[in-house]
């Protein structure tokens, strides 16, 4: 009995002691452990000529609450300028198009691929994720993310769980993400295959011909199943299967297709009414299916060669739009000096065209159910070549910079080409430069 | 890494059926994780680069995503 | 009043382990850093053997906690022995400059002791009662369970040798 009282008394004293004073040794050390893990970055992305330029600022903050409970907060702001291909084809004659707002026109010189001058647009994206273990071998995470720009909004929720096996040599993971997006295009959502209309006055508020609702929605469900496996003291392998289902408005409201003459393959010529500015040809707004189901397999190997780390990744993706892609990527981190590293990077990507990808539409031929001339849905190959340099400071923080060049080459759908297109058709290929600065530090 | 037949079979089993017991003999002891615990061996090294890249490639190419998360590391706790 | 504890099985296991260690220590005599763990000398004390490494993040919390236990209960017969499993001694030294260790440390770079005790994770904390019997194996370290573990150790300290 006395022993038991002593035990209870002891337990109470211990509990009170821990709750009030704490223990000098442990709390001092716990306080000196950095609780914030912060990473800030600046990115510049610039395509050749007058095409897209993007400048982005991003910050990621992870707050450690002890025992592996973490809150991750992210914020990214980017501004986009420059022009991107509208989907219209180049022609021997200059072409005039009505701008997306319908309140002006722009002209493309002969022989050039028409670029739709994108808007000076700023996007803000934010995310928050909570992650914590439960039971010894499980970890759970849940988060939300949202982004907004003047014509597009996104809201997403995600949750995932991981479970370790085999003395933590094997980790199985499962994650689900659901997103809902709203697009509010300038000038309203175009009716599928409606013809680009003439321009109207600046102060004319009447709805444009060929336009419908002022916004459309889209939902995306993503599921990811994966395994990470330790293969040896120096080697880690990751394998994932992903499934993605999008439904709703998947069309790009700003992209068009050129209607061409069935013999020459040249754009059909159109003259706007007198006193009115408008398109010099017949350009129809594109139309994509209202659902897309995609599956992917991803494998990544990480191997340490006495301090140098090689990372190899391969991804295969296939979907019901018939876009199949392969991505092959390698990074090799080589430390030098006491606290520096160089990391070359190479990436190769190739995809097949969507089943409804069209170079142009032929006058007099019945319209297909779906069609898009967006070069991003065409048969294409891309290469990225880059070099990253990083330096660790005395405090264990790191700043790094990387410079990469990106080249995208579209492959002409030769079987679709007619007349003069066979000799003059071109894909809107481009080169881009990627420059990034980052600083990673702990507080 | 020395890929031996049992490693390959284990991976195929694990991937095909998530039969993780097939991987029971592959891996390292808990006290042998000094290399795996290094920052440059974590699945989320280059996290900011990856986020930027995913955004670029999502805007410029037809397919995206699927990289995943979790695993590796020091295996502590 | 508790019944006499059956110590023979665990004690003989420890003796065999120690003997095997001595043999392998002789075999690996080239590395003077390898230490043997002789629990017999701590008979009558509650012994906490903590396996740690420089690359083990939770060890940065568990070691200060163990320092605290030692200062609070050392006089009552608590002994803490750290076993470092770093392959490179330099990594352990660097860690010790950042995180002071106020108890004895043995070095096990080949993982011999770790293998002998068949560690299931890192950190691993083995708690032996005054009779030398292994009574608790703590896998990992969680701040939230500090109190609970401290109470368990106090209980062991309060039990007399049989």
């Amino acid at each position: 009995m006395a022993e038991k009282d002593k035990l209870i008394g002891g337990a109470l004293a211990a509990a009170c002691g821990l709750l009030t004073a704490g223990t000098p040794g442990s709390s001092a050390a716990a306080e000196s452990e950095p609780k914030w893990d912060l990473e800030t970055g600046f990115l510049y992305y610039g395509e050749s000529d007058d095409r897209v330029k993007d400048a982005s600022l991003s910050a990621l903050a992870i707050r450690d609450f002890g025992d592996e409970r973490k809150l991750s907060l992210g914020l990214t702001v980017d501004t986009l300028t420059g022009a991107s291909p509208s989907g219209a084809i180049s022609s021997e004659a200059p072409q005039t198009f009505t701008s997306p707002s319908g309140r002006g026109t722009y002209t493309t010189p002969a022989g050039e691929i028409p670029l739709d001058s994108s808007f000076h647009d700023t996007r803000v994206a934010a995310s928050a994720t909570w992650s914590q273990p439960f039971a010894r071998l499980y970890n759970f995470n849940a988060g939300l993310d949202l982004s907004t720009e003047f014509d597009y909004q996104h809201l997403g929720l995600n949750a995932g769980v991981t479970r370790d096996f085999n003395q933590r040599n094997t980790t199985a993971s499962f994650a689900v993400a659901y997103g809902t997006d709203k697009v509010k295009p300038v000038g309203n959502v175009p009716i599928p295959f409606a013809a680009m209309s003439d321009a109207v006055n600046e102060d004319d508020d009447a709805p444009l011909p060929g336009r419908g609702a002022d916004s459309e929605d889209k939902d995306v469900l993503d599921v990811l199943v994966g395994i990470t496996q330790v293969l040896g003291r120096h080697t880690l392998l990751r394998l994932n299967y992903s499934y993605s289902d999008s439904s709703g408005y998947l069309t790009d409201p700003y992209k068009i297709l050129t209607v061409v003459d069935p013999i020459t393959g040249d754009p059909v010529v159109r003259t706007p009414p007198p006193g009115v500015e408008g398109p010099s040809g017949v350009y129809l707004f594109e139309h994509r299916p209202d659902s897309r189901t995609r599956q992917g397999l991803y494998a990544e190997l990480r191997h340490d060669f006495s301090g140098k780390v090689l990372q190899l990744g391969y991804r295969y993706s296939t979907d019901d739009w018939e876009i199949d892609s392969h991505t092959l990527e390698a990074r090799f981190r080589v430390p030098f000096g006491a606290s520096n590293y160089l990391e070359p990077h190479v990436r190769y990507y190739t995809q097949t065209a969507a089943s409804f990808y069209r170079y142009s539409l032929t006058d007099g031929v019945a319209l297909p159910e779906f069609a898009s001339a967006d070069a991003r849905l065409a048969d294409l190959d891309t290469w990225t070549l880059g070099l990253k340099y990083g330096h660790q400071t005395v405090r264990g923080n790191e700043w790094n910079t990387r410079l990469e060049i990106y080249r995208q080459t579209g492959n002409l759908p030769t079987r679709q080409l007619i007349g003069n297109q066979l000799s003059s058709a071109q894909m809107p290929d481009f080169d881009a430069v990627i420059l990034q600065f980052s600083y990673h530090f702990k507080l | 890494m020395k890929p031996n037949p049992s490693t390959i079979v284990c991976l195929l089993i694990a991937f095909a059926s998530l039969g993780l017991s097939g991987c029971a003999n592959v891996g390292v002891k808990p006290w042998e994780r000094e290399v795996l615990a290094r920052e440059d061996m974590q699945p989320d090294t280059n996290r900011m680069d990856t986020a930027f890249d995913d955004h670029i490639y999502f805007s410029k190419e037809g397919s995206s995503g699927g990289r995943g998360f979790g695993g590796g590391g020091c295996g502590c706790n | 009043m508790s019944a006499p504890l059956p110590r023979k099985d665990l004690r003989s296991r420890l003796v065999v382990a120690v003997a095997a260690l001595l043999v392998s220590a002789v075999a690996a005599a080239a590395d003077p850093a390898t230490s043997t763990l002789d629990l017999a000398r701590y008979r009558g004390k509650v012994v906490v053997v903590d396996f740690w490494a420089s690359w083990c993040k939770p060890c940065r919390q568990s070691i200060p906690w163990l320092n605290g236990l030692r200062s609070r209960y050392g006089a009552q017969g608590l002994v803490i022995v750290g076993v470092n499993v770093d392959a490179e001694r330099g990594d352990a030294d660097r860690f010790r400059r950042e995180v002071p260790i106020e108890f004895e440390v043995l070095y096990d770079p080949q993982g011999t002791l770790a293998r002998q005790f068949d560690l299931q994770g890192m950190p691993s904390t083995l708690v032996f009662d005054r009779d030398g019997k292994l009574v608790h194996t703590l896998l990992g370290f969680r701040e939230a369970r500090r109190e609970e573990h401290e109470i368990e150790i106090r209980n062991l300290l309060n039990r007399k040798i049989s």
Side-chain angles (χ1 to χ4, degrees), chain C residues 63-126:
Chain C
I63 285 170
W65 174 67
L66 291 167
N67 287 342
L69 287 181
R70 185 192 155 277
S71 75
R72 283 197 300 286
Y73 302 108
Q76 293 175 46
L78 177 67
V79 170
I80 307 196
V81 177
V83 180
N84 171 259
V85 296
D86 273 290
E88 299 287 329
R89 181 67 175 264
D91 295 335
D93 293 340
R94 201 175 338 110
F95 180 92
R96 293 187 71 166
R97 286 195 287 273
E98 293 164 26
V99 184
I101 302 183
E102 290 154 21
F103 43 85
E104 182 190 355
V105 172
L106 304 177
Y107 293 90
D108 184 30
Q110 311 287 336
T112 321
L113 280 169
R115 197 167 291 113
Q116 290 294 334
F117 287 99
D118 193 24
L119 300 188
Q120 296 297 302
M122 282 291 290
S124 273
T125 308
L126 310 172

Side-chain angles (χ1 to χ4, degrees), chain A residues 140-336:
Chain A
F140 159 79
N141 59 76
L144 69 88
D145 70 296
L146 47 95
S147 79
T148 180
E149 56 206 278
F150 86 104
D151 62 354
Y152 201 94
Q153 273 143 26
H154 160 83
L155 176 66
L157 294 169
N158 58 77
V161 65
T162 71
R163 209 274 200 196
D164 285 348
F165 299 83
N166 304 324
Q167 299 179 345
R168 299 191 193 270
N169 280 302
T170 311
T171 303
S173 54
F174 176 78
V176 169
Y178 171 74
T180 176
D181 298 2
K182 186 186 280 294
V183 58
K184 268 186 92 152
V186 172
N188 283 8
V189 178
I191 291 165
F193 298 126
M196 179 182 271
S197 56
D198 294 315
V200 297
N201 284 328
E202 276 286 331
D203 33 0
D204 190 335
D205 280 336
L208 295 168
R211 305 295 184 111
D214 69 347
S215 75
E216 285 283 359
D217 298 330
K218 151 179 148 187
D219 295 330
V220 182
L221 179 71
D222 282 300
V223 178
L224 189 98
V225 176
I227 281 191
T228 306
Q229 174 69 44
V230 171
L231 294 180
R233 264 176 126 132
H234 302 268
T235 317
L236 195 65
L237 176 73
R238 203 206 266 191
L239 295 170
N240 288 332
Y241 164 76
S242 60
Y243 173 85
S244 177
D245 196 339
S246 312
S247 64
Y249 187 75
L250 308 181
T251 301
D252 188 319
Y254 304 119
K255 300 282 188 234
I256 55 180
L257 295 113
T258 312
V259 176
V260 301
D261 179 272
I263 312 292
T264 64
D266 295 331
V268 158
V269 174
R270 171 193 179 268
T271 313
V276 170
E277 297 207 347
S280 59
V282 179
Y283 307 106
L284 307 185
F285 286 99
E286 69 161 45
H287 182 41
R288 302 186 194 186
D290 62 4
S291 82
R292 181 180 187 187
T293 304
R294 208 155 17 112
Q295 295 181 80
L297 280 178
Y298 178 68
E300 182 183 295
L301 188 72
R302 210 175 271 253
H303 184 76
D304 162 77
F305 294 91
S306 322
K308 301 186 264 289
V309 181
L310 174 68
Q311 197 186 323
L312 275 175
Y314 168 72
R315 193 192 68 205
Y316 171 69
S317 173
T318 182
D319 66 18
D320 62 357
W321 283 8
E322 289 178 38
I323 298 178
D324 292 340
S325 72
H326 302 271
T327 314
L328 210 53
E329 192 162 11
R331 286 186 161 87
F332 190 51
R333 181 173 290 206
V334 182
F336 69 95

Side-chain angles (χ1 to χ4, degrees), chain A residues 346-365:
Chain A
V346 65
R347 176 184 184 271
Y348 172 68
Y349 173 86
T350 182
Q351 76 179 34
T352 60
S355 57
F356 53 87
Y357 170 76
R358 292 280 177 278
Y359 184 71
S360 58
L361 292 171
T362 310
D363 195 20
V365 172

Side-chain angles (χ1 to χ4, degrees), chain A residues 3 6-7 10-11 13-15 18-19 23 25-27 29-30 33 64 67-68 70 133 135-136 167-168 233, chain C residues 57-58 60-61 64-65 68 72-73 87 118-120 139 141-147 150-151 154-155 158:
Chain A
E3 210 176 63
K6 206 159 62 170
L7 284 172
L18 285 165
L19 282 169
T23 45
S26 61
S27 60
E33 282 297 312
D64 191 336
D67 289 346
E68 278 148 76
K70 293 182 188 183
R136 192 174 66 91
Q167 299 179 345
R168 299 191 193 270
R233 264 176 126 132
Chain C
K57 250 191 77 192
R60 290 171 184 266
Q61 267 84 55
W65 174 67
R72 283 197 300 286
Y73 302 108
D118 193 24
L119 300 188
Q120 296 297 302
L139 210 47
F141 177 78
R142 296 218 188 279
E143 293 282 345
R145 305 195 66 187
R146 267 186 320 175
E147 277 175 46
E150 181 154 345
I151 291 168
R154 283 177 74 98
N155 291 344
N158 292 332

Side-chain angles (χ1 to χ4, degrees), chain A residues 62 91 190 409:
Chain A
I62 303 180
S91 158
T409 312

Side-chain angles (χ1 to χ4, degrees), chain A residues 39 47 168-169 228 238 240 292 302-304 315 325 347 349 351 376 384 388 402 406 408 436, chain B residues 1 28 33-34 38 42-43 46-47 49 53 57 59-65 67-68 70 75 77:
Chain A
E39 198 164 358
E47 290 174 11
R168 299 191 193 270
N169 280 302
T228 306
R238 203 206 266 191
N240 288 332
R292 181 180 187 187
R302 210 175 271 253
H303 184 76
D304 162 77
R315 193 192 68 205
S325 72
R347 176 184 184 271
Y349 173 86
Q351 76 179 34
R376 295 172 300 184
T384 309
K388 180 174 180 179
R402 70 176 169 133
Y406 176 71
Q408 185 172 110
Q436 178 185 319
Chain B
M1 173 176 91
V28 296
R33 297 188 73 123
E34 70 284 353
R38 278 196 342 232
Q42 300 315 306
N46 293 327
R47 178 176 50 196
D49 302 22
D53 281 356
Y57 298 130
S59 316
K60 295 288 150 188
E61 295 168 357
S63 32
S64 63
R67 269 192 246 233
N77 276 14

